[in-house]
Amino acid sequence: MNILLVDDDSVDREIVKRALRSSADISSITEAKTAEEGLIALENKQFDVILLDYMMPQIDGIEMVITLRNKPNLGDTAIVMISISDDEQLAIECLQAGAQDFVAKTEISPGKMKRAIVQAQKRFELEKKLFDSYCQVRELAEKDSLTGLSNRYHFEKALKIYLSNNIRSNKNVALLLLDLDHFKNINDSYGHDAGDELLKKVVDIINDCLRGNELFARLGGDEFAILLSGISDVKEASKVAERIIGSLEDPLHVKGNKVQCGVSIGIAMHPENASTSESLVKYADIAMYRAKHQGRNRYCFFQETMQQQLSRAYQIKMELDEAIKKQSFELHYQPVINTQDKEIVGVEALIRWPSSSVNSTPDEFIPIAEESRSIIKLGQWVFDTAIEQLASWQKDYKSTLTMAINISAVQLSDDSLASSIQGSLKRHGVSPEHLILEITETALFSRSENAKACLQRLSELGCKIALDDFGTGYSSISHLMNYPINIVKFDKTMLPESNQSDRYTALMRGLSSMVNIIGLDIIAEGVETEFHWSLCEELSIKELQGFYFSKPLLSSELTANWLA
Ligand code: C2E
Ligand code: MG
Ligand code: MG
């Protein structure tokens, strides 16, 4: 047995050595006069037991125990503390620090030393086993089993530590939140095994973009976090993001399939953007959301304005709910004009929110109402109010007048939409062919069966279906063929300015003749000038809508200006 004896007092060392010498199984005793010397001796030789004096100058015995127990494998050696005092409190302190036994110098005898050494070795063996199983449990608790990365639990713990360390340096920590683009589609189309394989491949690729000293964690699903510390220039964070996006540009081979997997990254900086870990995560998340909205496969730094926009959206959402309850909206009506006689043929109902303290336009609040699905209730109010208005105009002025109503994608997913509209038409005695339901191409893009069935029902009811904003989205011919569409509304951006090249006019000409050939009607939106009007006339577009004729009007104004 090899023993290391650490004690600054040479007389005490002699007493211990004498007690040990009578024990046959001790093969060597190495002496050290200080803790530092002891630690150096440990670097060079493996000992079975350390006999360690409690009281020493500079580093005392307890500090040496703590240093040793922080080494890998707990420093690998059993420790018996030796002290002049036999104070029980002191003994407990030594054991708590990581020693296995405690002997008062007054008690030293061959028998006592032998027992202490054997027991200390046994105890240390047990403590190590316990420590190993603790490490295994911790590994399970802190690691993501699929990728081997840190999991969310460990990431959140580590993030707090990184940030508190960062406050003391005058550098930055950058948090990158990553979300794979369209991962759900890949999972759904090729199965979960393929999804798992893809995640592992992506992790390998991202690891190759990192130096290895970053905290890289999987937060769940296809969401990852990377923490870069010691950053002096934000460019370092954008370089990492660019490298990751670039390295995921090529398709990956997963279970025999070639899949394209982009990534959207949001970046927030500590302490510049946020002081706490919670707000740093929140801001990186906002930036990631923005990156996704800007078209995916890109990175985006958090900016104060994003938070302002987000809180405005939240304020609008809250006020909207209240306004829907109180029905504090108005409908304005914009006339649709026949090219030949400049007579009104119909109107489009456009919602207004005059009482709103946030002063919001439909382009802003409709998408928010769609996101919270409150558009379903709001939409019901719109078509009921518009149909009632149409009934009254048809009765008093023009029995052929049409009413166009905008319907959002979310409304199409509502199974009761067709029957609600049918109910409203019946209640107000309006025949369905005078109702035009305007939908945008993005509503069709989700290719949901629900939406298709809903449009089919409305069409069978006799309502006209118009494809709104044509020319801004996909302008896909397949949409025109696969859905029961009667009218195509050319978006205002399609109308060229008088000084624009002939190509714009040629495009309009081509598109309008295509739409005419397949038997659909056209309404041109955004007719603002005489030039627009004569161009539409030349292209035989029969119905027009725009500021050149009239802006959207209150119902009383529309009656006075166009019907009475
Ligand atoms: P939209 O259906 O394409 O409606 C046409 C928009 O263009 C209206 O904006 C109208 O005021 C505007 N506009 C009309 N003529 C001209 C013109 O000559 N020049 C220009 N620059 N603009 C013109 P508005 O009322 O702000 O509505 C914006 C969008 O909000 C609508 O686009 C529609 O998508 C949506 N929206 C409006 N009301 C409703 C509604 O009740 N329900 C749903 N789901 N969406 C609605
Ligand atoms: Mg419209
Ligand atoms: Mg439009």
Side-chain angles (χ1 to χ4, degrees):
M1 193 185 293
N2 296 317
I3 297 214
L4 173 64
L5 173 58
V6 189
D7 195 328
D8 61 317
D9 188 320
S10 58
V11 178
D12 287 351
R13 287 203 303 274
E14 264 323 302
I15 296 171
V16 175
K17 278 198 304 195
R18 207 172 309 139
L20 293 176
R21 251 180 229 129
S22 59
S23 181
D25 49 358
I26 295 196
S27 46
S28 85
I29 301 174
T30 304
E31 291 177 59
K33 292 189 284 298
T34 61
E36 292 91 331
E37 258 183 46
L39 287 167
I40 292 169
L42 279 162
E43 305 256 311
N44 301 321
K45 191 171 169 182
Q46 174 70 43
F47 294 95
D48 299 295
V49 174
I50 306 170
L51 302 177
L52 180 56
D53 182 21
Y54 167 75
M55 201 114 74
M56 285 185 296
Q58 276 133 23
I59 305 179
D60 69 21
I62 292 236
E63 280 176 65
M64 182 170 165
V65 175
I66 293 170
T67 313
L68 219 57
R69 290 300 177 244
N70 277 326
K71 291 190 175 214
N73 246 341
L74 299 175
D76 239 350
T77 314
I79 299 172
V80 178
M81 297 292 279
I82 300 172
S83 168
I84 314 176
S85 149
D86 63 353
D87 177 4
E88 202 171 305
Q89 192 50 44
L90 180 65
I92 292 172
E93 207 183 308
C94 291
L95 297 181
Q96 274 174 346
Q100 278 65 48
D101 209 345
F102 179 89
V103 178
K105 282 187 177 172
T106 49
E107 296 175 337
I108 290 177
S109 69
K112 177 85 185 171
M113 287 315 283
K114 191 172 178 183
R115 248 194 334 274
I117 287 173
V118 171
Q119 285 179 359
Q121 278 187 299
K122 262 279 158 270
R123 268 189 214 137
F124 187 62
E125 229 170 77
L126 290 172
E127 280 174 26
K128 253 179 64 180
K129 273 192 192 147
L130 204 65
F131 181 71
D132 287 346
S133 63
Y134 160 75
C135 288
Q136 276 171 8
V137 170
R138 198 173 72 173
E139 168 109 3
L140 282 178
E142 295 188 342
K143 289 260 176 306
D144 168 52
S145 57
L146 179 72
T147 59
L149 299 177
S150 294
N151 61 16
R152 180 184 286 274
Y153 166 75
H154 181 234
F155 166 76
E156 283 171 356
K157 247 180 23 177
L159 177 62
K160 287 204 168 73
I161 297 169
Y162 268 71
L163 296 193
S164 66
N165 289 342
N166 190 51
I167 292 168
R168 275 175 247 127
S169 75
N170 49 14
K171 299 257 170 117
N172 293 291
V173 164
L175 171 62
L176 281 69
L177 281 190
L178 292 78
D179 193 290
L180 302 187
D181 297 332
H182 307 300
F183 176 72
K184 194 179 170 299
N185 291 355
I186 295 165
N187 235 353
D188 290 349
S189 336
Y190 304 118
H192 285 264
D193 283 352
D196 285 356
E197 193 183 321
L198 177 75
L199 287 174
K200 284 197 260 185
K201 286 201 166 160
V202 167
V203 166
D204 286 344
I205 291 172
I206 295 176
N207 260 324
D208 286 343
C209 302
L210 301 176
R211 275 191 245 122
N213 58 352
E214 305 86 348
L215 177 67
F216 181 17
R218 180 178 176 213
L219 303 183
D222 60 341
E223 232 187 285
F224 299 91
I226 297 171
L227 208 57
L228 309 172
S229 54
I231 288 201
S232 36
D233 185 347
V234 290
K235 273 200 200 118
E236 293 172 46
S238 57
K239 271 196 196 134
V240 172
E242 277 165 30
R243 224 180 299 145
I244 292 172
I245 290 168
S247 64
L248 285 171
E249 249 158 30
D250 296 333
L252 298 171
H253 293 269
V254 175
K255 299 240 174 286
N257 305 293
K258 233 178 165 185
V259 299
Q260 185 73 52
C261 181
V263 61
S264 299
I265 305 176
I267 309 173
M269 308 292 292
H270 175 273
E272 192 187 313
N273 299 140
S275 56
T276 65
S277 60
E278 289 81 8
S279 47
L280 190 69
V281 171
K282 186 173 91 186
Y283 293 161
D285 204 34
I286 291 174
M288 199 250 292
Y289 183 78
R290 177 55 58 94
K292 282 221 178 273
H293 269 246
Q294 284 176 347
R296 300 171 192 266
N297 208 24
R298 64 189 64 212
Y299 67 90
C300 188
F301 277 95
F302 171 77
Q303 287 162 0
E304 205 90 342
T305 50
M306 288 178 193
Q307 209 200 353
Q308 284 160 8
Q309 282 164 7
L310 218 74
S311 57
R312 178 173 163 86
Y314 180 70
Q315 198 189 343
I316 291 175
K317 180 177 141 18
M318 300 312 282
E319 270 199 43
L320 258 179
D321 291 347
E322 202 49 40
I324 291 171
K325 264 188 229 138
K326 291 193 190 141
Q327 303 200 332
S328 37
F329 296 92
E330 266 175 16
L331 285 184
H332 284 200
Y333 301 91
Q334 188 174 33
V336 178
I337 309 299
N338 182 310
T339 332
Q340 267 121 42
D341 53 12
K342 273 194 169 183
E343 281 285 308
I344 184 169
V345 287
V347 295
E348 176 176 3
L350 293 159
I351 195 161
R352 297 291 178 263
W353 186 10
S355 64
S356 150
S357 73
V358 281
N359 216 345
S360 185
T361 62
D363 277 328
E364 184 184 39
F365 71 77
I366 294 285
I368 295 171
E370 286 174 345
E371 202 155 307
S372 67
R373 295 184 71 83
S374 54
I375 187 72
I376 292 185
K377 255 213 127 81
L378 183 57
Q380 269 166 5
W381 175 84
V382 169
F383 63 70
D384 210 50
T385 310
I387 291 171
E388 185 179 6
Q389 179 64 66
L390 179 63
S392 133
W393 277 332
Q394 285 188 338
K395 181 164 92 28
D396 295 341
Y397 301 103
K398 193 170 179 141
S399 61
T400 57
L401 196 76
T402 61
M403 172 70 72
I405 295 168
N406 294 284
I407 299 284
S408 90
V410 179
Q411 286 173 277
L412 288 183
S413 70
D414 171 23
D415 287 336
S416 64
L417 179 74
S419 55
S420 299
I421 289 182
Q422 187 177 26
S424 183
L425 287 168
K426 265 214 180 101
R427 224 175 12 261
H428 300 295
V430 170
S431 101
E433 75 262 22
H434 294 130
L435 188 65
I436 301 170
L437 301 167
E438 298 192 2
I439 47 158
T440 59
E441 264 195 313
T442 31
L444 304 181
F445 194 64
S446 62
R447 274 194 238 136
S448 104
E449 282 308 308
N450 257 4
K452 192 167 184 176
C454 181
L455 278 182
Q456 200 64 48
R457 240 173 296 147
L458 288 164
S459 177
E460 280 159 14
L461 214 68
C463 298
K464 300 260 168 57
I465 311 288
L467 191 60
D468 205 355
D469 302 347
F470 192 74
T472 55
Y474 304 93
S475 307
S476 152
I477 299 170
S478 74
H479 287 152
L480 298 181
M481 305 310 283
N482 295 337
Y483 291 89
I485 290 172
N486 313 92
I487 301 164
V488 176
K489 287 191 89 167
F490 280 9
D491 189 72
K492 46 186 169 279
T493 53
M494 297 233 332
L495 283 171
E497 293 307 319
S498 55
N499 56 0
Q500 268 173 323
S501 78
D502 294 344
R503 277 177 77 184
Y504 289 89
T505 319
L507 181 70
M508 272 288 276
R509 194 186 306 278
L511 281 177
S512 52
S513 69
M514 173 193 82
V515 174
N516 275 329
I517 285 169
I518 55 178
L520 305 182
D521 292 334
I522 300 174
I523 300 177
E525 281 186 305
V527 177
E528 288 181 346
T529 59
E530 181 132 21
F531 171 76
H532 288 159
W533 179 35
S534 58
L535 177 68
C536 291
E537 235 182 348
E538 189 196 323
L539 300 180
S540 320
I541 297 175
K542 291 190 200 74
E543 294 188 352
L544 312 177
Q545 188 182 338
F547 295 164
Y548 180 67
F549 305 104
S550 170
K551 64 180 180 45
L553 302 169
L554 284 168
S555 61
S556 55
E557 294 170 327
L558 192 117
T559 312
N561 296 1
W562 291 90
L563 295 170

